[in-house]
């Protein structure tokens, strides 16, 4: 995870994030290919304040194959699968009980 802000992102959410930045519109996170924010149903989190941003990060999760295809199609499925496997391994390594997956 590349963090271009001074926000302290909790470790249990770092595995879902590729990049964090701030611009004139607020705080942003680009999530990994196999992650999704339930609030936006996308690979991005955006909020105006740090408090709201961190709150939205609580709604990120690993996305299952069926949901991924229904939301994003099959064009990037290979990237999804590699990232999915990586996230599962990281989750186990960190012993994060936060990761959720729709079954």
């Amino acid at each position: 995870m590349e963090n271009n802000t001074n926000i302290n992102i909790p470790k249990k959410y770092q595995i879902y994030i590729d990049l964090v930045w701030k611009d004139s519109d607020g705080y942003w996170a680009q999530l990994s290919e196999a992650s999704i924010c339930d609030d936006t149903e996308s690979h991005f989190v955006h909020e105006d304040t740090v408090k709201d941003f961190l709150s939205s990060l609580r709604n990120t999760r690993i996305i299952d194959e069926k949901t991924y295809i229904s939301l994003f199609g099959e064009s990037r499925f290979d990237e999804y699968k590699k990232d999915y496997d990586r996230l599962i391994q990281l989750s186990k390594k960190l012993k994060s009980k936060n990761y959720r997956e729709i079954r």
Side-chain angles (χ1 to χ4, degrees):
M1 177 189 80
E2 181 181 340
N3 186 347
N4 295 319
T5 71
N6 60 357
I7 300 172
N8 185 17
I9 308 292
K11 281 192 177 192
K12 62 184 174 182
Y13 303 116
Q14 289 180 12
I15 64 170
Y16 304 123
I17 301 169
D18 287 339
L19 177 64
V20 177
W21 73 96
K22 181 184 186 299
D23 65 14
S24 60
D25 291 328
Y27 297 90
W28 295 82
Q30 179 179 346
L31 305 178
S32 68
E33 192 67 31
S35 301
I36 191 168
C37 176
D38 288 328
D39 295 343
T40 62
E41 290 190 336
S42 75
H43 299 300
F44 289 92
V45 173
H46 171 253
E47 295 294 346
D48 295 330
T49 67
V50 172
K51 181 180 177 183
D52 291 342
F53 180 77
L54 291 171
S55 179
S56 289
L57 286 181
R58 291 186 192 105
N59 296 316
T60 58
R61 63 180 170 87
I62 298 171
I63 188 171
D64 66 278
E65 290 180 13
K66 185 177 178 181
T67 305
Y68 180 88
I69 290 170
S70 71
L71 289 172
F72 305 112
E74 295 186 23
S75 64
R76 295 183 51 87
F77 188 75
D78 289 341
E79 290 87 355
Y80 158 80
K81 191 63 181 151
K82 288 177 195 171
D83 194 48
Y84 177 87
D85 293 340
R86 179 187 68 84
L87 288 177
I88 295 299
Q89 291 303 316
L90 280 173
S91 295
K92 289 177 182 176
K93 186 176 179 180
L94 295 172
K95 298 183 181 187
S96 172
K97 295 183 181 183
N98 184 56
Y99 80 89
R100 304 182 322 258
E101 178 181 357
I102 295 176
R103 297 187 186 252

